[in-house]
Structures are given as structure tokens and as C-alpha cells.
Amino acid sequence: MSEELEALARVAVDCGFKLHEALGPGLLESVYEACLFQSLAERGLFVERQKPIPIRFNGISLEEGFRADLLVEGQLLIELKSTEAFVPVHGKQVLTYLRLMDLSLGLLMNFGAPTFRDGVRRIANNYFRS
């Protein structure tokens, strides 16, 4: 599974890079989300956008506890931002989402950063590359 997951991450990063290169920083997060969704789908990947994720706690069930920006092939979470810089809560948010979804790897992509390299982070949940 890790080879497949790594391949998905590489495709997602490539699509994100090309999107940032074409549009640059400063647009609304929803614009980048729609464009990245389309780019990944054009690569033949199954992508879910704004996927509702239930949360269960102490006998309470929230069917839409949060929404994942993009979920690729049911394995890779992509959380998008469009802000000048990351703040620590962004990474914590992705890690919490990964834990709630029982996923190993997520990408945090900030399209507001001056370069895509500055705006992409891998977040792992008990995941080790082989």
C-alpha cells in the first residue's frame, strides 16, 4: 500500500505545483480546490471533494463532523489553504483529520505561499515510507 500511497502523493504534489505555477498565489481556497480536483480527476484518479466525515464521541454521532477538502482514492487527504503563511494549527488540523479517518498520509497545500515548495507539507499519522 505504501508504494501506491507515495505514487498518489507524487501525482498530487505535481498537480498542485502546476496549479500554483499557472494561477499564482492569492485566489480563494475554493478556486484552488476546484482546479486541483479537476487536475487529479484528469489523471484518472477518483477524487471526492468536500467529503463529509462523521465524528463519534461519547455516544454522540455527528454525521458531518467536518468536511475533507479532497480525498484521493480513499487514501490520501488533501487539505487546502490560501493564506500568507502556515500557522501551527493547520498541521494539527490535518493530523486530527487523518486520525479520525484512520488514514496514514495527508498533504497540506497552501496556495497563498510565494512558492509552492514553501506551501506544501506532508503530514503523517503513524506512517513510515518503505
Side-chain angles (χ1 to χ4, degrees), residues 13-23 43 116:
V13 168
D14 185 57
C15 288
F17 172 78
K18 289 178 178 171
L19 177 57
H20 192 280
E21 186 177 54
L23 298 181
R43 298 266 189 118
F116 187 70

Side-chain angles (χ1 to χ4, degrees), residues 48-121:
E48 296 171 273
R49 184 174 173 204
Q50 290 298 310
K51 179 175 177 58
I53 306 298
I55 293 178
R56 287 164 188 42
F57 172 76
N58 212 19
I60 298 169
S61 180
L62 302 171
E63 290 309 310
E64 292 190 27
F66 71 94
R67 290 180 176 268
D69 287 342
L70 298 173
L71 183 60
V72 183
E73 296 286 330
Q75 299 178 63
L76 177 67
L77 173 76
I78 301 176
E79 179 66 23
L80 301 168
K81 301 294 179 197
S82 183
T83 184
E84 286 186 34
F86 285 122
V87 292
V89 74
H90 292 151
K92 291 175 185 176
Q93 175 188 21
V94 173
L95 185 56
T96 297
Y97 288 0
L98 291 172
R99 287 179 181 151
L100 290 170
M101 298 171 71
D102 195 28
L103 295 176
S104 300
L105 184 64
L107 296 174
L108 176 57
M109 294 184 180
N110 180 14
F111 287 94
T115 67
F116 187 70
R117 178 184 289 261
D118 292 337
V120 66
R121 301 263 161 77

